[in-house]
Amino acid sequence: MAYEDRTYHGIQGVGGDEDEWQPARLLVETPEDGPTQRENVTVLHELVAKDADELGGFGWGYNGGGTSRAAAAILADALDLGDPDECGMSMVAYPQDDALVALREDFCIDVLSQFCDEWRFGRAAVLRWARGWYLQRGIAELPAALRELPPLVDIHV
């Protein structure tokens, strides 16, 4: 499968009163650099938390259940693993894959807990972070999306 770049765009729920509140959204967009190029970005699809009504949906900027759901959705999409529940990364579905659950939780701590209300993060950054995570732990069995990462651009002048 050819590498396909995309950008993950998180938008925190808004509104001060219950009638206005909107759940956090995770959009998957075509990658664009800079704020002016992002004005006409194409949304490829939206990641959905299946258990949003019962458990509260996605979150970030802290380490908790919403952050774990967001991490599972982003990592499953970026690694081309399919549904987080079916690949073993979910918080609620069984069986769970121990490595994918640890990957999810470390992504929460290292990345998503640091984000503010609105952010963008490229798939290449997710894949490079995940590849480093596997290598640091000496796990040789890599998901297919991590076996051949896109080349780094040489920026030496």
Side-chain angles (χ1 to χ4, degrees):
M1 173 188 271
Y3 171 76
E4 176 191 341
D5 201 10
R6 46 197 179 254
T7 298
Y8 298 96
H9 180 187
I11 306 166
Q12 197 65 273
V14 295
D17 110 354
E18 295 211 9
D19 294 335
E20 297 177 34
W21 185 83
Q22 298 292 317
R25 297 179 68 197
L26 279 174
L27 307 176
V28 182
E29 302 172 339
T30 56
E32 296 292 344
D33 294 327
T36 56
Q37 289 86 349
R38 289 188 202 128
E39 290 177 5
N40 297 312
V41 70
T42 301
V43 175
L44 301 171
H45 59 277
E46 184 168 352
L47 301 176
V48 178
K50 289 189 242 177
D51 55 6
D53 291 337
E54 302 88 42
L55 300 176
F58 296 132
W60 45 83
Y62 66 98
N63 190 18
T67 311
S68 289
R69 283 185 288 284
I74 292 167
L75 288 166
D77 187 82
L79 296 171
D80 294 324
L81 297 175
D83 185 289
D85 289 345
E86 294 173 15
C87 73
M89 193 181 301
S90 168
M91 294 171 44
V92 295
Y94 292 92
Q96 292 182 329
D97 179 292
D98 291 340
L100 290 178
V101 169
L103 176 75
R104 177 196 77 209
E105 289 308 304
D106 285 348
F107 190 73
C108 290
I109 294 166
D110 290 352
V111 180
L112 293 181
S113 68
Q114 308 303 312
F115 285 169
C116 58
D117 288 350
E118 185 171 358
W119 51 267
R120 284 184 168 84
F121 201 63
R123 180 180 183 225
V126 173
L127 294 177
R128 290 188 196 293
W129 180 91
R131 175 77 183 247
W133 184 91
Y134 275 90
L135 293 175
Q136 285 179 330
R137 282 149 190 81
I139 301 172
E141 185 68 30
L142 298 175
L146 297 179
R147 290 187 202 127
E148 291 190 33
L149 293 178
L152 290 172
V153 177
D154 187 1
I155 57 170
H156 290 93
V157 184

